[in-house]
Each structure stands twice: as C-alpha cells, then as structure tokens.
C-alpha cells in the first residue's frame, strides 16, 4: 500500500490498544510498516522520559523509583506527550500508527479535534497466552501485571477502544507467528475512501 497522503483528505490514525502481553507493539510495528507511516509507541516515550531523570551507577542505568508504576508521574507525562504529539501530527495532516495499552478519551478527543479519522485496532489473545507471555518477558513489571491479570484485577474491558472512533478492527494474536494486518489495511482504505 502507498503511504496515505496528507492532502485535502483527513489523516487516518491507527490507534492500537489492548492488554499487556497481547502483542500490541508487534501489531503496531507491522501495521506501520505495511502502511509506510510513522509509529508512536507510548512505552518508548515513557522510556525516553525515564532516561531524562535516570542515573548511571555501578549496576548500569537506574531509573527513578516511580518509573515502573503504572499511572505514576512518568506514565502520566508520557501520556501527555503522546497526546500532544499525536494531536500535532494529525493536525498537520499526517497519517500514523499510535500504540498504547489504553486509548484514553483525551487522545481520541485530541485526534478528533485535529480532524483525523481514527481506526482503533484492539489486540486480544487468550488469557493463558497473555499470562505465558507476561511470565516469559521476565521483567518485574510484567510479573506484577501477570499477577494482576491472574487475580482478575486487570479486566480486559479496561483495554477496549473508547467511543468516538470511526471504526474498530479486532486482531487475535493467540496463535504464534507474525500478525495478519490485511484487515487493518482494508479498514484504512475504507476510511480514506469516505469523504467528509
């Protein structure tokens, strides 16, 4: 597919969301590559912000204590930066892919205010697959997420796309192998064909 052009057409933002461990980042990278558009990943923004206040010691890079807290100060700043950047890109007529576990109403509202079409891609997987992926990744944060998921304290409904998007595509990544993104490409083409 050719890169969606910024012309009189409104940009299309593919917003990828889903529970940790479903493969959102893998799907988002595949979609951005397939469409030939830029990719924003909230966790990469968060890592950059964390590095700005990290220190280097004998054990390597030490992130601030609150870096790994979901909803903590670094997470809140990363969300604000993501919303600002996404809104500016959309306002400039740029189509792109944005990946974040939860698509906040603020992000969707910002994209709508920038006159973008928003396609939500909801990435899902079987609970057992998610739990295994979180355990396999091994990071302390993923172990905490796996435990929350196991206890039912992280409901799947938390990661569903909010109201206000133009279309939703669900991708199930339970099976091993690269994600299939043709349905996302078809949905983007359908949104580009709609004149508003």
């Amino acid at each position: 597919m050719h890169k969606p052009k910024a012309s009189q057409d409104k940009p299309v933002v593919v917003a990828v969301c889903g529970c940790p461990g479903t493969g959102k980042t893998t799907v988002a990278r595949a979609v951005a590559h397939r469409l030939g558009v830029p990719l924003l990943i909230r966790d990469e923004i968060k890592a950059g912000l964390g590095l700005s206040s990290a220190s280097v010691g004998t054990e390597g890079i030490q992130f601030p204590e609150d870096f790994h807290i979901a909803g903590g100060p670094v997470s809140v700043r990363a969300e604000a930066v993501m919303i600002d950047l996404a809104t500016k890109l959309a306002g400039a007529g740029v189509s792109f892919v944005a990946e974040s576990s939860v698509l906040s109403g603020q992000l969707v509202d910002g994209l709508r205010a920038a006159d973008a079409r928003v396609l939500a891609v909801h990435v899902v997987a079987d609970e057992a697959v998610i739990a295994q992926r979180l355990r396999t990744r091994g990071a302390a944060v993923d172990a905490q997420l796996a435990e929350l998921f196991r206890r039912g304290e992280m409901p799947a409904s938390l990661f569903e796309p909010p109201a206000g998007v133009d279309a939703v595509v669900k991708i199930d990544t339970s099976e091993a192998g690269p994600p299939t993104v043709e349905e996302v490409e078809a949905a983007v083409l359908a949104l580009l064909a709609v004149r508003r």
Side-chain angles (χ1 to χ4, degrees), residues 8-190:
Q8 72 273 16
D9 289 335
K10 297 176 183 192
V12 173
V13 177
V14 179
V16 181
C17 62
C19 176
T22 56
K24 294 177 308 299
T25 303
T26 302
V27 168
R29 287 185 197 286
V31 170
H33 178 75
R34 177 84 176 219
L35 298 177
V37 297
L39 170 63
L40 299 178
I41 298 175
R42 187 187 152 292
D43 283 348
E44 289 181 0
I45 293 169
K46 181 179 176 182
L49 291 171
L51 284 172
S52 70
S53 57
S55 60
V56 178
T58 57
E59 297 179 25
I61 297 174
Q62 302 296 312
F63 286 99
E65 189 175 298
D66 61 8
F67 177 75
H68 296 293
I69 299 172
V74 178
S75 291
V76 171
R77 283 189 8 236
E79 183 69 15
V81 169
M82 176 92 157
I83 292 167
D84 185 52
L85 183 55
T87 302
K88 286 179 179 170
L89 283 172
V94 176
S95 293
F96 60 94
V97 175
E99 181 268 334
S100 184
S101 293
V102 177
L103 297 182
S104 71
Q106 274 187 303
L107 176 60
V108 173
D109 290 346
L111 294 171
R112 302 301 288 171
D115 215 18
R117 295 178 178 128
V118 182
L119 168 65
V121 175
H122 186 200
V123 183
V124 299
D126 293 335
E127 288 184 20
V129 171
I130 293 170
Q132 178 60 36
R133 287 176 184 166
L134 290 173
R135 280 192 304 273
T136 303
R137 292 196 311 204
V141 171
D142 289 329
Q144 292 169 351
L145 291 173
E147 184 58 22
L148 289 172
F149 189 75
R150 187 189 65 73
R151 292 192 316 243
E153 294 176 28
M154 194 169 63
S157 61
L158 177 67
F159 305 101
E160 292 177 359
V165 298
D166 293 292
V168 176
V169 171
K170 187 179 279 190
I171 294 182
D172 190 326
T173 63
S174 298
E175 298 296 322
T180 305
V181 296
E182 288 80 10
E183 188 178 355
V184 176
E185 182 180 23
V188 168
L189 290 171

